[in-house]
Structure formats: C-alpha cells, structure tokens
C-alpha cells in the first residue's frame, strides 16, 4: 500500500515537473498554472512521503516552480511595458495585410549586413605561396610504371594471375615472420617485404597484407618516426578494432636499395 | 611635420585593414570578433573602428557591434573584445531595392510575418503556429520552403520540440521595435490605396 502511494506521489511530482518544463519551453502563458495549488500539493506529498527519492524529486519540483514564478515576473514586465504588443493583434495584422505591405514593414526595420566574397590580394598571395610549396606531381609520376606495357610486365613477372596458391604463400610468409621476430615478437616491416626486385617487393607486401587481414599478424606504425613493425601471432587472432593502413611502395623509396632490379 | 604625416599614413593604413577585415571575412558568420581586431589593429582598435564608422556613414554604411548578450550603457573592454563587429547598411532599403537584390517579395513577407510573431511570443514560437498563421496568405509549401531558407540563412533557428527562434542574423540586421511598429501601423485601407495607385 505504502509502495503504491509512493509511486503515485512520484508520478504526481513528475507531472508537475513536465508541466513547468512545457510552459518554459513552449513559451506558454505562465499564469495558466495555479502556482499556489502546486505548492500545496508539494507540501502534502512531502508530509506523506519522507523517503530520500521523494525529497530529491520534491526539491526538483520546487526549483521548476521557482522558474515558473520567474517566468510570470518576466511575462508581467513585458505586458506592463508600453512597447508590449500582443501576438493576437500581430496575427490579425498579418492576416489582413498584403504581402507587399509585410515586405515594406520588414524593409523599414532591416539593415542587411554588407560583406564581400571576392578573393582578396592577400588570399591570392596565400594561395600562390601554397601552390609553389606543393611538390611537382609530374616528377613523381615519371618514376611510376604508368604505361600499360609496364603494368602488364609486372603482372606477368610477379604471376598474380598464374594460379599461385596464395594460402601457401601466406603460410610461408607467416613462418618467416615468426622466425625473424624471434624473442622480441616483432620485426621491421621493410625487412620482411624488401626483395631484390621491385616486383618481388610488391608481391611480398601483397602477401603480408593478406596475412594481416587473416589475423595472423598485426602492423604497428609509430606516428612520430613512421617506423612500421610486424607483430606475427602463432595462430589467428580475432580483432576488436579494424583499421586500414596504406603503405605506398615506390621504386625510389623501397629501402636499403632492395627495391630495384639488380643490374 | 614629418611625424604628423607618418601618423596620418599609419592611421589610414589601419583604417584600410579594418575595412578589409570587416568586409572580407572567410568565416561562415560575417564580421570579426573584437579580439581579432585588437590583435591586428592594436589596443586602440575601437578608435579606429569609430573613425571607420564616420567614413562609412558618408556612403550609407555603418559598423555594427553585436554583443554576445544584452549589456548596459557602458560595456567593458572585455565585452567589446568578445563582441562581433560587422558592416551593415545605415539606412533601410526600399522594397524595390530588395527585389532588385534578388529577393522574392513573398519570401520577405514570410520573414516579416514570422519575425513579428516570434517577437511578440517572447522570442520563440512553434513551427506549426507560424505555418498556420502565414498560410492564410500564401500556399503552405511556399511558407515551409521560405522558413527552411531563412533557417539556413541564419534569420531563424530551429530549436528542440519544433520551436522556431530568432536567429543571430535577425538580431544583427533587424530592429525589433521598428518592425513591430511598422506591423502595427499597417491598415487594410493602405493596401487598397497602394493597389489603386498602381492601377
């Protein structure tokens, strides 16, 4: 019985809070609520229920009622001022006016912001400086085998499409990684993927990427030094977070002079 | 004599910097904050702004200062540092000018009606109320589209519970008292007269 009564009191307090909040949010007439009656109800609940939950809720309700009273004060001030114009009156004026009249009314009180969106000399100079700082793309592209013949040559030499058993390659790579990692448990990325030819380097990086995807290894990159370490696992690991890592291999950048064809 | 000339040159340069900062801003909101002006123009930036204001007055413009919250008669230096400075027209436009600037007269009428209603409702009103009020004059789709456009432009703000509030741009550009006075001055006969004048 007492529990039921407590629930009823709680609901009543929550209803009062919701009522006060709706008046505050919707800008309704704060005098539409009888504050005195609300306070009487609050007092009755406080006398009947003396548990902590009710007291806390009661305090919150009292605060909301105080806010409502401050709204009443503001409402009164607005109404009392000579500048107060009722919304009903404005609605009537709007309903009886022409579009042009309304536009004229706004024009009388409207002083639009003036701003220019043209490019300034300063910004133009900034843009020019940025442009001059950019590395020339043409030189980078020169080094890449962009011609179709080059691409076909690499594909042919590496044998991507020659039916090589990728699983077997992954297993080989996995064994190699574990061996090279030894007791430290990690090995430098480039020492794993580097080969005598550029094509072999690409192929090893390709196989390693599959190995990482399978969960047999992980690659960690130091954001400060850019150093990449491969951490091989003895068995497949389930990952909680998956992220993509892009490693660009350019003929000039394959470290330790291993990326180019041996002359 | 030379010193005075240098001083004038320096002030002229600062005026030019202030004008370019206020007119050409790359932010989403127009104008600049007081602290940005202080950093570029020095501690006495308010004097430079005052001088710029006098110069702009001659061509129908003025520097407007918008404080973050309503202040008394004597705002402190910190209030100016936090305030937003921008340039507005000093005199109102005519409807013909507004139309020539690419505004649709119905859209301007929607803004006038919406703002005047919101002002009288203590700064916010439900979107439903606004649409119902204005759809008496214009098709509902047009009213809704115009409200959406003005929300995007910053004249109105969509708050929680489908409430519409007055936006920062309205506070910067529209004189509340003047708008309400203009709305209250409207009379049905005025409309008739205007139509007759046209014909």
């Amino acid at each position: 019985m007492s529990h039921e009564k407590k629930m009823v009191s709680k609901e009543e307090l929550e209803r009062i809070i919701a009522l006060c909040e709706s008046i505050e949010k919707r800008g309704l007439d704060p005098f539409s609520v009888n504050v005195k009656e609300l306070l009487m109800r609050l007092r009755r609940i406080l006398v009947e229920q003396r548990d902590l939950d009710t007291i806390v809720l009661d305090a919150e309700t009292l605060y909301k009622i105080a806010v409502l009273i401050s709204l009443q004060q503001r409402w009164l001030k607005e109404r009392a001022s000579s500048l107060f114009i009722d919304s009903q009156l404005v609605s009537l004026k709007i309903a009886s006016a022409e579009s042009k009249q309304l536009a004229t009314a706004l024009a009388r009180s409207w002083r639009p912001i003036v701003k220019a969106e043209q490019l300034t000399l300063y910004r133009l100079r900034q843009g020019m400086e940025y442009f001059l700082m950019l590395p020339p793309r043409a030189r980078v592209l020169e080094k890449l085998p962009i011609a179709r013949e080059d691409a076909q040559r690499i594909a042919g030499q590496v044998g991507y499409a020659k039916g090589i058993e990728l699983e077997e390659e992954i297993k080989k790579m996995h064994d190699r990684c574990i061996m090279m990692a030894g007791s430290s448990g990690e090995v430098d990325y480039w020492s794993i993927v580097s080969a005598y030819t550029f094509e072999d380097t690409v192929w090893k990086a390709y196989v390693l990427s599959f190995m990482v995807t399978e969960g047999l290894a992980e690659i960690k990159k130091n954001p400060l030094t850019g150093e990449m370490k491969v951490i091989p696992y003895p068995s497949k690991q389930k990952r909680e977070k998956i992220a993509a890592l892009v490693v660009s291999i350019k003929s000039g950048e394959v470290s330790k002079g291993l990326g180019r064809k041996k002359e | 004599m030379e010193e005075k000339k240098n001083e004038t040159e320096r002030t002229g340069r600062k005026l030019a910097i202030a004008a370019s900062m206020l007119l050409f801003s790359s932010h989403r909101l127009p104008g600049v904050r007081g602290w940005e002006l202080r950093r570029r123009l020095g501690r006495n930036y308010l004097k430079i702004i005052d001088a710029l204001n006098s110069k702009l007055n001659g061509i129908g413009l003025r520097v407007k200062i918008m404080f973050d919250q309503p202040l008394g008669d004597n705002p402190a230096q910190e209030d100016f540092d936090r305030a937003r400075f921008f340039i507005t027209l000093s005199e109102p436009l005519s409807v013909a000018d507004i139309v020539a600037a690419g505004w649709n007269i119905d859209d301007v009428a929607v803004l006038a009606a919406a703002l005047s209603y919101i002002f009288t409702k203590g700064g916010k009103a439900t979107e439903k109320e606004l649409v119902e009020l204005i759809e008496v004059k214009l098709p509902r789709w047009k009213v809704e589209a115009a409200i959406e456009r003005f929300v995007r432009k910053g004249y109105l703000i969509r708050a929680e519970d489908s409430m519409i509030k007055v936006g920062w741009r309205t506070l910067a550009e529209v004189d509340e008292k003047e708008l309400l006075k203009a709305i209250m001055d409207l009379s049905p006969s005025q409309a008739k007269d205007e139509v007759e004048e046209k014909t």
Side-chain angles (χ1 to χ4, degrees):
Chain A
M1 185 65 189
S2 167
H3 180 72
E4 255 178 43
K5 214 170 180 184
K6 187 180 162 188
M7 290 304 288
V8 170
S9 306
K10 202 177 161 193
E11 273 175 25
E12 199 173 350
L13 287 172
E14 280 169 351
R15 265 205 307 275
I16 297 172
I17 291 173
L19 177 73
C20 296
E21 278 178 351
S22 82
I23 289 173
E24 189 189 345
K25 276 186 185 168
R26 298 189 162 264
L28 302 172
D29 180 4
F31 285 97
S32 58
V33 179
N34 188 343
V35 173
K36 204 173 172 183
E37 194 195 312
L38 288 184
L39 288 171
M40 298 275 276
R41 270 155 72 185
L42 212 61
R43 168 172 275 192
R44 181 177 47 78
I45 291 166
L46 197 62
V47 170
E48 284 171 4
Q49 303 291 327
R50 289 210 162 264
D51 60 295
L52 186 67
D53 284 354
T54 316
I55 291 170
V56 169
L57 206 59
D58 199 274
E60 196 186 334
T61 317
L62 191 63
Y63 169 71
K64 293 288 175 190
I65 293 174
V67 172
L68 189 73
I69 293 169
S70 78
L71 280 177
Q72 287 186 340
Q73 187 194 9
R74 211 165 66 198
W75 181 271
L76 268 180
K77 262 188 187 172
E78 275 178 23
R79 296 247 158 186
S81 74
S82 56
L83 287 166
F84 176 75
I85 296 163
D86 190 60
S87 60
Q88 296 280 340
L89 200 59
V90 167
S91 306
L92 281 173
K93 287 280 180 185
I94 291 168
S96 62
E98 297 285 320
S99 284
K100 197 184 171 190
Q101 280 182 295
L102 289 171
T104 312
L106 183 68
R108 262 173 65 180
S109 58
W110 190 22
R111 283 148 188 92
I113 290 174
V114 180
K115 65 168 185 164
E117 285 179 351
Q118 282 86 349
L119 197 62
T120 59
L121 198 61
Y122 173 68
R123 293 274 178 232
L124 199 65
R125 205 177 298 135
Q126 268 191 330
M128 183 72 176
E129 279 166 15
Y130 174 73
F131 179 75
L132 292 174
M133 265 168 52
L134 286 174
R137 285 188 73 222
R139 248 180 258 165
V140 176
L141 291 172
E142 269 170 24
K143 289 182 185 170
L144 291 173
I146 47 168
R148 178 176 283 197
E149 297 83 53
D150 284 349
Q152 279 173 348
R153 183 176 54 79
I154 290 173
Q157 282 172 356
V158 173
Y160 287 89
K162 282 186 179 170
I164 289 174
E165 286 293 331
L166 194 62
E167 272 184 32
E168 206 170 295
E169 290 290 316
I170 292 171
K171 198 175 174 302
K172 271 189 214 166
M173 175 68 81
H174 184 228
D175 291 344
R176 191 164 161 249
C177 285
I178 287 183
M179 198 185 75
M180 285 177 79
S183 58
S184 67
E186 58 178 34
V187 56
D188 183 59
Y189 177 85
W190 291 110
S191 65
I192 286 284
V193 300
S194 295
Y196 282 111
T197 62
F198 177 63
E199 291 76 17
D200 280 352
T201 305
V202 174
W203 173 248
K204 281 185 175 179
Y206 180 69
V207 175
L208 182 61
S209 74
F210 272 95
M211 196 179 113
V212 173
T213 311
E214 286 281 297
L216 287 165
E218 198 179 332
I219 298 175
K220 278 198 174 164
K221 187 176 181 181
N222 186 333
L224 297 175
T225 59
E227 198 181 23
M228 286 188 290
K229 295 278 184 194
V230 179
I231 303 158
Y233 301 125
S235 59
K236 282 186 185 180
Q237 299 285 316
K238 203 178 172 190
R239 289 197 183 84
E240 284 177 6
K241 277 203 281 184
I242 299 169
L245 175 71
V246 179
V247 181
S248 77
I249 302 174
K250 285 186 273 182
S251 58
E253 278 185 15
V254 175
S255 58
K256 296 153 198 159
L258 297 170
R260 267 270 155 241
K261 255 187 186 170
K262 235 184 348 185
E263 293 302 322
Chain B
M1 186 69 183
E2 186 70 21
E3 208 171 277
K4 203 173 177 184
K5 199 181 162 192
N6 286 343
E7 181 67 29
T8 317
E9 266 177 24
R10 224 174 12 248
T11 311
R13 215 165 33 242
K14 283 192 175 181
L15 276 176
I17 292 169
S20 70
M21 281 180 82
L22 293 173
L23 283 167
F24 302 103
S25 58
S26 55
H27 310 292
R28 195 177 66 83
L29 301 182
V32 282
R33 293 270 183 196
W35 61 264
E36 290 175 275
L37 289 167
R38 181 161 48 84
R39 203 173 55 185
R40 196 81 174 82
L41 305 171
R43 265 184 313 162
N44 292 330
Y45 73 94
L46 285 174
K47 282 185 184 164
I48 304 283
I49 292 296
D50 208 31
L52 179 68
N53 199 23
S54 312
K55 284 209 178 258
L56 288 174
N57 263 328
I59 52 167
L61 301 174
R62 66 172 178 185
V63 178
K64 177 144 187 189
I65 305 168
M66 199 167 96
F67 295 100
D68 283 347
Q69 46 203 319
L71 299 165
D73 291 337
N74 295 314
Q77 180 68 39
E78 296 84 54
D79 297 323
F80 279 107
D81 288 352
R82 278 195 295 268
R84 187 168 280 281
F85 290 67
F86 42 77
I87 296 174
T88 67
L89 297 183
S90 56
E91 293 300 321
L93 293 164
S94 69
V95 177
D97 292 336
I98 293 172
V99 173
W103 288 77
N104 182 302
I105 199 145
D106 286 343
D107 283 356
V108 183
V110 170
L111 185 60
L115 288 180
S116 52
Y117 187 72
I118 295 173
F119 283 143
T120 55
K121 291 287 279 184
K124 55 187 173 182
T126 61
E127 193 167 355
K128 192 169 164 253
E129 267 177 275
L130 280 179
V131 174
E132 278 172 5
L133 169 75
I134 310 167
E135 75 174 336
V136 179
K137 320 271 336 159
L138 296 162
R140 193 184 180 91
W141 64 268
K142 211 169 188 178
V143 177
E144 284 172 344
I147 289 176
E148 189 57 46
R149 212 169 299 129
F150 289 122
V151 167
R152 273 206 307 273
K153 282 179 188 262
Y155 287 101
L156 301 170
I157 293 175
R158 197 170 266 124
E160 73 277 8
D161 294 345
S162 358
M163 299 295 283
I164 299 279
K165 285 182 176 178
V166 169
W168 66 269
R169 202 156 174 185
T170 298
L171 298 173
E173 297 183 0
V174 181
D175 188 326
E176 178 185 340
K177 286 174 193 167
E178 216 167 320
L179 174 66
L180 289 177
K181 194 172 172 293
I183 292 282
M184 296 315 288
D185 287 349
L186 294 178
S187 61
S189 58
Q190 199 180 322
K192 269 184 198 170
D193 294 345
E194 277 172 13
V195 174
E196 275 165 19
E197 265 175 38
K198 266 186 186 176
T199 52

